[in-house]
Amino acid sequence: RSGAACTPGDTVVVAGATGGVGQLTVAKLAERGFMVRALSRDKPRCQALFAGDKASDNIECVEADGRDASSLAGVFEGASAVVCCTGTTAFPSARWKADDNGSNNPKATDLVGATNLIKAAATQAPALRRYALLTSAGVERYDSFGPYAMMNAFGVLECKAESERYLREQSGLPYTIVRPCRLTDGPYTSYDLNTLLGGVAGNRQEVVLKQGDSLDGEVSRIAVAECLVQCLTHAETSGAVFGMESTEGAGPGKDADAWSALFAGVVSA
């Protein structure tokens, strides 16, 4: 399969579209002319988030749940790219509460659900140009003494690492894997696309990308969403796996050339 760049007008499926990074990614893609198929377990919530006088005709909300493979029938057909932003909390929380499709713990969401999404995309979208998967810093360090071992107490990093391996080694899809450090800025709850698009990360807008899994800082959800969008439009990021953090500085913003320079450090190193 080709890892070619996507262009405005292409259909991009965003899984986890109502989450903190997902909603920003949906808004950014729609703003730039992509046709966005926003997947959510709760379609009314998705429609409410992207509705109102700032709604975009480029966004279609579709109810789907990665934990239930049958709910994914047809959702990837015609897609040029997928951005997967699904995930749950590392430690037991209200988000783990079981529903009709079972638990929302790390195994169910970050392994079974994530893998089901990859399998469905590989089957339904033979011309898929990119599968961008958002995981986490620590996926290569959870078995070492330190904070990531604690974070993995209930298996979240191990499950994310296993879904990464499936995408890289078994799916046959052109992929990009982004491993953000601790997320800041948001998640936003305003039902207004302009709020999503207008957010900034204070003075920490500079971006650091590094191959593998060695960064330990924090990163703005806004920057992560922008990075995911930029990955789809930069063919050279196909096959790249890198960590991401934010630091003091103006940052690349939406500048494609600035992102090209950042990506050069993680695709050629």
Side-chain angles (χ1 to χ4, degrees):
R1 300 186 193 226
S2 168
C6 297
T7 56
D10 287 340
T11 295
V12 179
V13 176
V14 179
T18 56
V21 173
Q23 60 186 260
L24 291 162
T25 303
V26 169
K28 286 175 175 290
L29 286 166
E31 177 194 35
R32 293 174 211 186
F34 289 92
M35 307 307 295
V36 185
R37 197 172 296 156
L39 305 189
S40 173
R41 295 174 182 173
D42 186 343
K43 184 176 179 179
R45 181 187 174 203
C46 180
Q47 291 172 323
L49 177 62
F50 299 115
D53 59 354
K54 306 301 182 185
S56 169
D57 292 337
N58 291 358
I59 301 172
E60 174 193 10
C61 290
V62 176
E63 189 157 314
D65 187 338
R67 298 170 301 167
D68 176 14
S70 67
S71 76
L72 304 178
V75 300
F76 297 103
E77 290 180 359
S80 296
V82 177
V83 179
C84 183
C85 305
T86 59
T88 190
T89 55
F91 299 99
S93 69
R95 287 178 62 185
W96 283 27
K97 184 178 180 181
D99 55 24
D100 290 343
N101 288 325
S103 175
N104 193 38
N105 62 24
K107 182 176 181 181
T109 300
D110 291 296
L111 178 54
V112 175
T115 304
N116 282 343
L117 288 161
I118 295 166
K119 290 178 178 177
T123 301
Q124 298 174 24
L128 199 75
R129 291 178 231 158
R130 191 70 54 85
Y131 196 106
L133 177 63
L134 184 68
T135 60
S136 173
V139 291
E140 295 182 6
R141 292 176 282 171
Y142 61 81
D143 56 355
S144 301
F145 180 77
Y148 294 112
M150 183 179 298
M151 185 177 174
N152 191 55
F154 293 89
V156 67
L157 293 176
E158 191 170 2
C159 290
K160 288 180 182 294
E162 192 61 33
S163 65
E164 281 192 8
R165 279 191 288 272
Y166 185 84
L167 178 60
R168 294 195 317 266
E169 300 173 9
Q170 299 184 54
S171 72
L173 295 173
Y175 63 83
T176 305
I177 296 173
V178 180
R179 298 167 169 172
C181 293
R182 184 176 66 85
L183 294 168
T184 63
D185 295 322
Y188 298 96
T189 55
S190 171
Y191 297 152
D192 183 335
L193 280 178
N194 274 4
T195 300
L196 296 178
L197 293 169
V200 295
N203 294 325
R204 299 178 63 84
Q205 297 185 49
E206 189 57 76
V207 170
V208 175
L209 305 181
K210 192 169 183 180
Q211 270 192 342
D213 180 27
S214 62
L215 299 178
D216 292 311
E218 60 184 33
V219 62
S220 164
R221 286 180 172 87
I222 300 164
V224 173
E226 183 64 33
C227 180
L228 291 167
V229 173
Q230 294 285 344
C231 283
L232 302 187
T233 59
H234 285 75
E236 68 271 23
T237 62
S238 182
V241 181
F242 56 86
M244 180 178 185
E245 69 178 2
S246 297
T247 61
E248 293 283 338
K254 301 176 183 179
D255 188 320
D257 291 337
W259 281 99
S260 291
L262 285 167
F263 291 142
V266 294
V267 300
S268 60

